[in-house]
Amino acid sequence: MLNRQGRPSAPQAHGVADPAAGMGDQAARLQGDASRAGADAGSHPTFTGNKALAQIEPLIFEIGRYDTTGVDLDEPDDFKPRLGGLERKEAIGLPGLSEPETMRHYVRLSQMNYGIDTGLFPLGSCTMKHNARLNERMARLPGFSDVHPLQPVSTVQGALELMNELGRYLLTLTNMTAVALSPKAGAHGELCGMMAIKAAIEAKGEGKTRNVVLVPDSAHGTNPATAALIGFVVKPVPARDDGYVYVEDVKKLLGPDVAAIMLTNPNTCGLFEPQVAEIAKAIHDAGAYFYCDGANFNAIVGKAKPGDLGVDAMHINLHKTFSTPHGGGGPGSGPVVLSERLSPFAPVPFVRAGKEGFELVEHETDAAEKPFGRMTAFHGQMGMYVRALSYMLSHGSDGMKQASEDAVLNANYIRAGLSDLMSLPFGNKPCMHEVLFDDAWLKDTGVTTLDIAKAMIDEGYHPMTMYFPLVVHGAMLIEPTESESKASLDLFIATLRDLAMAATTGNDKERFTGAPYHAPRRRLDETRAARSPVLKWTPPAPVAEAAE
C-alpha cells in the first residue's frame, strides 16, 4: 500500500493507534520513517564505539599527549625570571593536540548539543526562537563588532545612535518614558527595575516603612530572589484554580508597608492576566509600584502596551522577544523600560542627544535626573543591540505584531492537537504563547514527567520545560514560538501523541523508564549529580600502580 508520496504507508508506532492521525501526511511519513530507522539499526556493536555519525568523543584530557604540544614553538632566548620564585616548577599538565585534532574534538562536541538550529526547541518560558542570519551579519559589521567601550565618544557616534534608536523602539512598543539598556539579562533587569522602585520610595521618605513586595505563587523564581536581595520582604499572592491573579486577593495584602508587586503578564501558566489593569490601579492607589516581569513580552508585542496597563517598570529579554541569541559572544541583554513615575531614577550610563551629537552620560552628577547609580562597568552588549534593532527594522511594526500572533497561534495549535490525550490543569481554554500541561494524565501509569522528557530525547527533541510553574504538579510547559512551520508542529504533535498513547496503554513502560537509549550518554543519576558533582578530571592511575 502506498501513500500520496509513493512510499510504503507508515506502520503503526509501537503497537498503538496512529499518533499522526489528522496531523498531516508529512508528519505521518516522517514518523514512520523514523520508526523503521530505529528498528533497522538494531544493536550491532562497533569496534570504536561510534555509530556512524553518532561518534563517541572522550574528554580532551584523554586524547592529547602531555609530552608534546600540537604546534612548533621556538626555544626562548635566555631570560631572567621576574616572578620572585613563584614560577611554575612542574609541567603545566595540558594535553597537546594538533590543529585538526582540536578542530575535530570541538566539532564533535557541538554535534552532541541541541540548539535552535537543530530543531524545534519547546522550552516553555524560555522563548527559543530562530536567530535570523541577517541579524548575525549586521552584528559582525566593522564598527559594531570591533567597537571598544573605552573609545572616545566622538568615534562611536554611530553606535550611540543605534542604541538611542533601539531605546526609542522599546519605548514605543511599551508606551513607557525611559529606558535603561545596561542590564545584562532578565534577572539583572529585574534588579534594575526594583532598584529604581526602591530609589523612588526612598526619595519620598518612605524607605523604612514600605518594605514589602508582593509576588504571585506562579512567578519566576528570580522575582522573589531579586526583591529579597535588595532588602525587601516578600509576601506571596496565592494562586487560584484557574491560573489567574485576582485583584481581590491583591487588595487583601495591600497596606502602607507595600512597595510593589512583581507580576508576570502573560503569566507563567501561559495565560494573559484579565485583571491586570485593575491590579495596577489598586497598587497605585495604595502608593506602591507595579513591576512587570517582561519575560513573556513576545506574546503581546504590537497587541498590548504594558504602559497602557499601568506598568511602572518592566525588563525585556532581547533574546526572548527580538531574536538575539542567549549570550551571543558575551553577556545577554535585558533592557528595562520605566514609567514617568520612575524615569528620573534610571541608572547611568545612558545615551543623550547633545548639541554636538550623542553623549554617553556616565556620572550621576552629569544627569539632570536622579539616577539610582550604576549597575555595570560599561553600558552593555553591542552585539545584542545590533541584532535586536535589525530584527525590529526588518520586521516593522506589522511584522512584529504578526510574530506575536503566530507565536500564540502555534501554542494553541499544539494545545488543540494534544488536549484529548494530555491534561490541561486550567481547562481546555485558549492560551497565549505557551501551553501548559500537567501529569494528571499519567496517573497510575508508572511514568513520570521526567520519563516523558527523557523519551523525547530519543525522538530527537529537546524536552519541554518540566516541573515549572511550581503551582502545577508535574508541569510540562511547551513554547513553540513563531519560528515553527505547520509541518514542524505536525511532526512534534504526532511524536507527543505517540509517547502519550504508549505511556497510557502501558505496552512499553521500559521505553520511558530507561530512556534515553540513543543519546550520547544514558540516563544520569540526577540526584547524585546535583549533590556530588564531579567538576575536575582526575588522571587515571598508571598501569603498573593500578596492577598493584
Side-chain angles (χ1 to χ4, degrees), residues 114-136:
Y114 195 97
I116 190 60
D117 292 336
T118 306
L120 190 153
F121 213 129
L123 277 176
S125 195
C126 287
T127 318
M128 302 294 289
K129 63 164 68 181
H130 173 63
N131 306 139
R133 291 306 176 265
L134 169 64
N135 307 347
E136 298 299 312

Side-chain angles (χ1 to χ4, degrees), residues 418 422 456 464 478 492-501:
L418 297 175
M422 296 170 62
M456 287 179 66
M464 73 287 278
I478 299 174
F492 179 74
I493 291 170
T495 302
L496 285 185
R497 291 185 65 84
D498 179 52
L499 292 174
M501 288 186 286

Side-chain angles (χ1 to χ4, degrees), residues 26-277:
Q26 184 181 24
R29 174 176 60 78
L30 292 175
Q31 194 274 338
D33 289 346
S35 297
R36 287 192 295 275
D40 293 341
S43 57
H44 302 289
T46 61
F47 176 78
T48 60
N50 300 331
K51 296 180 179 178
L53 295 179
Q55 300 193 18
I56 300 297
E57 184 64 13
L59 298 175
I60 195 169
F61 297 99
E62 297 171 327
I63 59 178
R65 294 179 56 186
Y66 292 86
D67 58 346
T68 186
T69 65
V71 296
D72 293 329
L73 298 175
D74 295 331
E75 286 294 327
D77 296 332
D78 290 338
F79 66 95
K80 182 180 180 180
R82 295 183 292 176
L83 296 176
L86 297 178
E87 62 270 14
R88 177 183 292 276
K89 301 294 193 299
E90 300 175 355
I92 194 170
L94 294 178
L97 281 76
S98 65
E99 183 173 311
E101 288 174 319
T102 305
M103 180 62 70
R104 289 170 185 165
H105 173 71
Y106 287 105
V107 167
R108 288 170 180 169
L109 290 183
S110 72
Q111 292 170 337
M112 298 180 187
N113 189 45
Y114 195 97
I116 190 60
D117 292 336
T118 306
L120 190 153
F121 213 129
L123 277 176
S125 195
C126 287
T127 318
M128 302 294 289
K129 63 164 68 181
H130 173 63
N131 306 139
R133 291 306 176 265
L134 169 64
N135 307 347
E136 298 299 312
R137 184 176 180 182
M138 294 301 100
R140 286 164 172 76
L141 287 175
F144 290 142
S145 62
D146 55 3
V147 67
H148 193 281
L150 295 181
Q151 283 184 236
V153 171
S154 61
T155 68
V156 290
Q157 284 295 301
L160 295 180
E161 183 178 0
L162 183 145
M163 291 155 60
N164 186 72
E165 188 71 356
L166 172 62
R168 187 176 72 85
Y169 267 68
L170 294 175
L171 294 177
T172 301
L173 291 170
T174 58
N175 194 25
M176 301 288 260
T177 305
V179 60
L181 293 178
S182 58
K184 298 296 184 286
H188 203 213
E190 288 176 20
L191 182 63
C192 175
M194 292 305 294
M195 289 179 73
I197 289 174
K198 189 169 187 176
I201 291 173
E202 291 176 346
K204 293 191 297 183
E206 298 178 328
K208 294 183 179 180
T209 56
R210 289 193 181 272
N211 62 349
V212 172
V213 171
L214 306 180
V215 180
D217 287 339
S218 60
H220 292 106
T222 52
N223 287 183
T226 296
L229 177 67
I230 56 176
F232 286 116
V233 175
V234 177
K235 284 188 178 181
V237 180
R240 290 204 184 181
D241 293 340
D242 57 6
Y244 298 126
V245 175
Y246 282 84
V247 66
E248 293 87 355
D249 296 332
V250 174
K251 286 181 176 180
K252 293 176 183 177
L253 299 170
L254 289 177
D257 60 340
V258 173
I261 189 172
M262 299 182 76
L263 182 72
T264 306
N265 189 43
N267 65 31
T268 59
C269 301
L271 304 171
F272 189 91
E273 294 287 357
Q275 294 190 354
V276 60

Side-chain angles (χ1 to χ4, degrees), residues 400-422:
M400 287 187 281
K401 177 182 176 182
Q402 182 183 340
S404 293
E405 292 173 341
D406 289 349
V408 173
L409 176 64
N410 284 356
N412 280 280
Y413 188 65
I414 290 177
R415 174 185 58 81
L418 297 175
S419 59
D420 62 322
L421 294 177
M422 296 170 62

